[in-house]
Amino acid sequence: MEGLLDVVRSAADRGLRTNIATNGCLIDEKMAKRIAGSGLSSVNISLDSMNEATHDYLRGVPGVYKKAMQAIENLDKYCSKDFEIVICCAIYDINMEEVLEVAEWVNSHNRIKWVYFMAAMQPNNTPLNPQWYKKEFSYLWPQDKPKAASVINKLIEMKKRGYKINNQICQLEAFGKYFNCPERFVKNTACNLDRAVHISSVGDIYICYDWECVGNIMKDDLAGAWHSKEADMARGHIRNCQKNCHHLINCFFEEDYPFTVVN
């Protein structure tokens, strides 16, 4: 976190908006004060359920629910009102119906900007396997299709009623099709990950996790890594990528989602 805040401060000095995603475990009062003075624009905190046991199970860290809640309080206490606290909630089999409670809680919370939902996908940094949801990670995949469709439809209705849900309706509709039949849900164009940068939990810098590591924030300048030969090579791979990458379901797109449901 310390090294990441140094990168954030450098970006803020250039007038750039910056965001970090976290489970909240490291955001005690001391860290919240540092974040407040770092120039960071927003913090995205993972919260997969209002049920403490469910959230801790999905995150694999006992006590992470309480730490996430404490992180929200600490950020509210020390950061300005312009600073955005946002929630990221991943939709899995075990928390399928509980995500609706997350939407209700966010909507009633005065300090939280919005919640962004993500569909279950193959975990990062694992060997690509098109059948991941049938094999080693099958426990993550929604098994009850009618229930999944019902939950997605309720989220869409909440969005239409003005709930603080940041997903576009077309993305939520895509979630429904994806959960119904992932085999028929295929990418029909190049993705937009060549415009993004991702930093792993150990500081490794990627344009896309499927391609080359382009540096590490503990020893490399982020701008230098972004403009490096390795980054250009990764962007070339991304533009020509033919993989039916389901990570794309959770990316932001300005218009419709680049998927086709095939027969």
Side-chain angles (χ1 to χ4, degrees):
M1 181 73 82
E2 299 288 339
L4 185 56
L5 287 182
D6 290 337
V7 173
V8 165
R9 190 171 292 106
S10 175
D13 289 344
R14 298 177 190 144
L16 301 175
R17 285 183 55 82
T18 50
N19 166 275
I20 60 171
T22 174
N23 62 15
C25 285
L26 298 179
I27 305 181
D28 55 14
E29 290 200 51
K30 180 180 177 181
M31 182 57 69
K33 291 177 183 177
R34 289 208 60 201
I35 288 173
S38 69
L40 191 67
S41 305
S42 63
V43 167
N44 190 330
I45 296 178
S46 297
L47 184 65
D48 298 326
S49 174
M50 302 310 298
N51 181 308
E52 182 176 348
T54 301
H55 180 73
D56 285 3
Y57 169 77
L58 285 170
R59 292 289 150 180
V61 182
V64 70
Y65 175 87
K66 288 180 179 176
K67 289 185 177 180
M69 289 300 183
Q70 189 60 57
I72 292 168
E73 289 186 22
N74 292 337
L75 292 169
D76 183 25
K77 181 177 180 180
Y78 293 105
C79 296
S80 72
K81 296 306 178 185
D82 292 332
F83 181 86
E84 296 178 357
I85 304 171
V86 299
I87 298 299
C88 179
C89 180
I91 304 172
Y92 300 113
D93 185 60
I94 189 174
N95 70 334
M96 176 59 65
E97 293 179 308
E98 294 173 17
V99 301
L100 299 174
E101 296 175 12
V102 175
E104 293 283 2
W105 181 77
V106 168
N107 203 57
S108 65
H109 198 293
N110 292 332
R111 188 63 175 85
I112 295 175
K113 177 85 171 171
W114 39 255
V115 57
Y116 181 79
F117 290 100
M118 297 180 68
M121 61 183 184
Q122 182 174 344
N124 286 337
N125 302 318
T126 59
L128 186 65
N129 181 354
Q131 299 295 308
W132 67 270
Y133 53 91
K134 292 182 177 179
K135 298 186 181 297
E136 66 268 40
F137 301 112
S138 61
Y139 65 94
L140 297 175
W141 188 254
Q143 302 298 322
D144 187 330
K145 292 182 180 181
K147 181 167 75 173
S150 174
V151 168
I152 296 302
N153 286 335
K154 287 176 182 176
L155 288 176
I156 291 172
E157 286 305 310
M158 287 177 166
K159 172 75 174 181
K160 289 179 177 177
R161 282 159 46 200
Y163 274 61
K164 294 189 290 186
I165 296 173
N166 198 40
N167 306 73
Q168 298 177 69
I169 288 176
C170 65
Q171 184 186 23
L172 294 172
E173 290 172 342
F175 284 3
K177 295 174 183 177
Y178 172 62
F179 285 145
N180 183 58
C181 192
E183 297 96 336
R184 296 169 53 204
F185 198 76
V186 299
K187 181 173 73 175
N188 61 25
T189 186
C191 73
N192 64 0
L193 284 182
D194 59 332
R195 293 182 274 159
V197 63
H198 305 274
I199 300 174
S200 77
S201 59
V202 296
D204 288 336
I205 305 168
Y206 293 87
I207 307 300
C208 169
Y209 282 119
D210 279 350
W211 304 105
E212 299 88 345
C213 173
V214 300
N216 186 286
I217 61 166
M218 302 303 292
K219 59 184 179 63
D220 299 312
D221 175 67
L222 185 58
W226 177 257
H227 294 292
S228 67
K229 267 187 210 180
E230 292 80 6
D232 284 342
M233 287 177 61
R235 280 188 281 270
H237 288 314
I238 292 167
R239 285 190 290 270
N240 295 302
C241 179
Q242 299 299 311
K243 294 179 183 178
N244 186 31
C245 177
H246 283 162
H247 287 67
L248 195 58
I249 189 72
N250 290 319
C251 294
F252 176 80
F253 284 82
E254 291 80 359
E255 298 178 6
D256 205 354
Y257 274 68
F259 291 100
T260 299
V261 179
V262 299
N263 294 323

